[in-house]
Amino acid sequence: MTAEVTDMSLDRDTSITWYGHACVEVVTPGGATILIDPWFGNPTSPKEAWSVDRCDLMLVTHGHSDHLGDALQIASRTQAAWPCIHEMSLWLARNLGGGREAVVGMNKGGTVSTVGMKVTMTTADHSAGDWNAGGETTLYLGEPAGFVVELENGFKLYHAGDTAVFGDMRLIRDLYAPDLAMLPIGGHYTMGPREAALAVELLGVGHVLPIHYGTFPILAGTPDELRSELAARGLGSVEVHALEPGETLR
């Protein structure tokens, strides 16, 4: 059962549920459901992909299997709108089946208006190749990206995807001014707590939802370490919303 977290000062008409790793579900003020990097098969998720019965907007930050996850089967079943990087859109046109009409290819810096929201694709500093089905070649699904989503009431969410901290996060602040940032903190494959604290400073956000940690022992960064790093930067007032997998922030 999904627990509710009600004592945190977010937009009251928006709920955000973290299902472990980078998998996030957002229910918007207009009642739309957004799924971001829907790998419900991750070992910490309390929910299974087959039980997802609604998705209006699908967002996948890059082609690694722990982010593309269950997106194909969910989008095909729900006919979700799916803005994604150009190369991924070409692959989806051959592999998605019934939901391919809803795919919109785009690229970094572009904005798509869909299902009552604005979706802007941003830079991410990572890689994006994965094994092809035969296991002999690398499947290229375009470069990694992040997304800023402006909800129906103007509330803005930033999902960074997998990334290192990079100086142009300041441009994301200046151009899009997100209210909440979903940032990886696990380290090894992404930035850890120290780098994530600098990302918070560059983005100028007051709310952070840590993601991409705790799934496996190698992703060792913790929310408490992030809080300590934020305090060291004089950012102790930033709210770190450390959810358990399946918990909901409202």
Side-chain angles (χ1 to χ4, degrees), residues 101-116:
E101 296 84 0
V103 173
V104 179
M106 61 184 303
N107 220 304
K108 299 170 187 179
T111 299
V112 170
S113 295
T114 183
V115 294

Side-chain angles (χ1 to χ4, degrees), residues 118-199:
K118 293 180 180 178
V119 178
T120 300
M121 184 178 287
T122 66
T123 294
D125 190 358
H126 192 58
S127 64
D130 214 330
W131 287 117
N132 212 336
E136 299 296 328
T137 59
T138 299
L139 179 65
Y140 176 69
L141 294 179
E143 293 186 353
F147 292 99
V148 176
V149 183
E150 182 176 343
L151 305 184
E152 302 96 334
N153 63 350
F155 191 72
K156 296 175 185 176
L157 309 172
Y158 169 51
H159 190 296
D162 279 6
T163 190
V165 64
F166 53 92
D168 283 353
M169 285 181 171
R170 188 180 301 275
L171 297 180
I172 295 174
R173 179 198 66 190
D174 292 346
L175 288 168
Y176 312 117
D179 298 291
L180 177 142
M182 307 175 202
L183 300 177
I185 66 165
H188 193 83
Y189 292 107
T190 70
M191 59 187 172
R194 180 187 179 195
E195 295 83 2
L198 176 57

Side-chain angles (χ1 to χ4, degrees), residues 18-23 39 42 44 66-67 211-213 215-216 219:
W18 180 56
Y19 285 105
H21 208 60
C23 179
W39 183 36
N42 81 74
T44 65
D66 58 329
H67 294 260
I211 59 173
H212 209 279
Y213 72 96
T215 323
F216 307 104
L219 305 180

